[in-house]
Amino acid sequence: MKNPQYTDPTFKQLFAEIDPEIANTFTVEQLEAIKKGLTSRARTRHSLDIRVSVPIPGIRFYLVLLAGSERRSKVRLRSERGLYPFWTPGNILFVIGFLIILSICSYTIFSSVLSSLTPISSSYYPTSIPWIEDKSECEHTSRIWHDGKCWDSEHSPNF
């Protein structure tokens, strides 16, 4: 590249992939036009931009999640639909795994919230105490001996 004043990383990356003999044939006007074209396509920040390298031993893996307002033209959307189909085996496995994890988390959260909203009964119900088998031991623990069983009249179902 003849003109070293271009320091934009995207511009440099583009020219690094062009044969130096060809890159040296560009005029200043052509270089400016290319730079202008790259600048107009400069990436703007997305509303949601998460880029994470996932540390899985033995596998180099990354995850990118982007979201924002749609600015692509309908023509570009149609062409990208063919280049990047959604229903691939990898995407299907990811969606199924994500839905399973989401279901498990939702169930856990909802069941815990629901159980915290369920009132704890303050009622007491009489029940027999099976490990106390004689009248003196039963009466010693302030319970009632009746029909050959030891009865606790203040047994809580939350016990």
Side-chain angles (χ1 to χ4, degrees):
M1 175 168 60
K2 318 186 226 197
N3 198 338
Q5 73 181 13
Y6 299 104
T7 58
D8 178 46
T10 307
F11 189 81
K12 283 184 171 185
Q13 184 180 6
L14 172 70
F15 270 84
E17 296 177 21
I18 297 176
D19 184 333
E21 289 181 16
I22 295 171
N24 286 328
T25 64
F26 287 116
T27 65
V28 173
E29 291 82 16
Q30 289 171 325
L31 291 171
E32 286 296 328
I34 292 170
K35 185 177 179 190
K36 184 178 176 186
L38 289 173
T39 303
S40 70
R41 292 179 48 105
R43 295 178 188 229
T44 57
R45 303 253 335 143
H46 292 85
S47 302
L48 176 67
D49 188 344
I50 300 172
R51 299 163 193 258
V52 180
S53 290
V54 181
I56 300 175
I59 301 173
R60 294 177 54 105
F61 183 75
Y62 69 96
L63 180 67
V64 175
L65 181 60
L66 300 174
S69 59
E70 181 63 77
R71 294 185 298 259
R72 296 174 292 177
S73 69
K74 291 185 186 222
V75 172
R76 182 174 169 198
L77 285 170
R78 275 193 299 272
S79 71
E80 286 183 356
R81 194 174 302 134
L83 290 172
Y84 309 108
F86 183 78
W87 296 111
T88 63
N91 289 356
I92 291 169
L93 288 174
F94 175 80
V95 168
I96 289 170
F98 177 77
L99 291 175
I100 288 171
I101 291 170
L102 183 65
S103 299
I104 291 169
C105 291
S106 297
Y107 175 77
T108 304
I109 290 169
F110 289 133
S111 65
S112 116
V113 167
L114 188 61
S115 70
S116 70
L117 295 176
T118 305
I120 297 174
S121 174
S122 61
S123 301
Y124 295 103
Y125 303 92
T127 189
S128 69
I129 310 298
W131 59 87
I132 299 178
E133 297 176 349
D134 68 14
K135 183 177 179 180
S136 64
E137 188 179 349
C138 177
E139 291 172 349
H140 177 70
T141 58
S142 301
R143 294 185 175 106
I144 300 168
W145 186 260
H146 180 66
D147 291 335
K149 293 183 181 178
C150 184
W151 290 89
D152 183 354
S153 61
E154 295 183 1
H155 182 77
S156 169
N158 299 317
F159 174 66

